[in-house]
Amino acid sequence: MSVIEIFKLGRKYMELWPKKAELNHYFDEYRAVQIGRLVYRYLPAMALFVLIMQLYFGGADILAQALVYFLFLLSIPLQAVVMLGVKADKFLPPALADWYRRGVAKVNEQDGDIKLSIRRPRYLDLATLLNVSYANSRYRL
């Protein structure tokens, strides 16, 4: 998988994960996704602010230093999304995979027709299942 595909997968994973605070008690990934969303949203603006302030107060003399800080702060959101993409592509551990399979079966029993991987589920499939479950109030895991 290329870095661009991993980046796209990380963005998709970040968007699919439900924004429900109760998931924090059950999944460690919730915290990582929330931090990734925060970093992805606010750090580019902060990087630009840091660059402008350093150039304003230090002038052109510290342009190289200001650019290093700027590029470092800009790289953090990219790193966060890539790490989420790597996590989204990993397979679920056996206990969580079993819970996931039961959840898919329960949603399908309640007249849901979701086509998710049952054999080797990944974290992206888990995020999709949770998203479907919270989007439709009739499907409760």
Side-chain angles (χ1 to χ4, degrees):
M1 216 191 252
S2 71
V3 175
I4 294 173
E5 290 171 342
I6 292 174
F7 184 81
K8 289 179 183 177
L9 188 63
R11 292 258 338 245
K12 183 178 178 181
Y13 184 63
M14 197 167 46
E15 291 168 4
L16 274 178
W17 199 268
K19 296 178 183 176
K20 301 292 182 182
E22 63 263 16
L23 292 176
N24 187 26
H25 301 293
Y26 304 110
F27 302 104
D28 292 334
E29 293 80 29
Y30 177 77
R31 210 169 301 123
V33 170
Q34 288 300 98
I35 291 170
R37 286 177 182 155
L38 180 78
V39 164
Y40 190 77
R41 177 177 289 159
Y42 294 114
L43 232 50
M46 187 174 146
L48 187 62
F49 176 75
V50 166
L51 176 71
I52 291 170
M53 286 295 111
Q54 283 189 342
L55 291 178
Y56 179 74
F57 288 116
D61 298 338
I62 61 166
L63 178 64
Q65 179 182 359
L67 285 176
V68 168
Y69 283 127
F70 175 71
L71 291 175
F72 173 72
L73 288 175
L74 268 185
S75 74
I76 293 174
L78 298 175
Q79 293 174 33
V81 174
V82 167
M83 292 304 292
L84 286 174
V86 168
K87 181 72 171 184
D89 198 36
K90 287 187 178 180
F91 295 113
L92 293 175
L96 194 55
D98 185 47
W99 181 86
Y100 165 82
R101 286 184 194 99
R102 284 185 276 135
V104 169
K106 190 172 183 180
V107 168
N108 284 336
E109 283 174 3
Q110 298 172 356
D111 295 332
D113 189 26
I114 58 174
K115 305 278 192 273
L116 293 174
S117 173
I118 299 292
R119 300 195 69 144
R120 301 275 321 245
R122 300 179 305 161
Y123 279 95
L124 183 66
D125 298 325
L126 175 66
T128 305
L129 175 67
L130 291 171
N131 192 17
V132 166
S133 175
Y134 280 105
N136 296 332
S137 60
R138 63 183 175 154
Y139 305 134
R140 285 294 164 201
L141 301 177

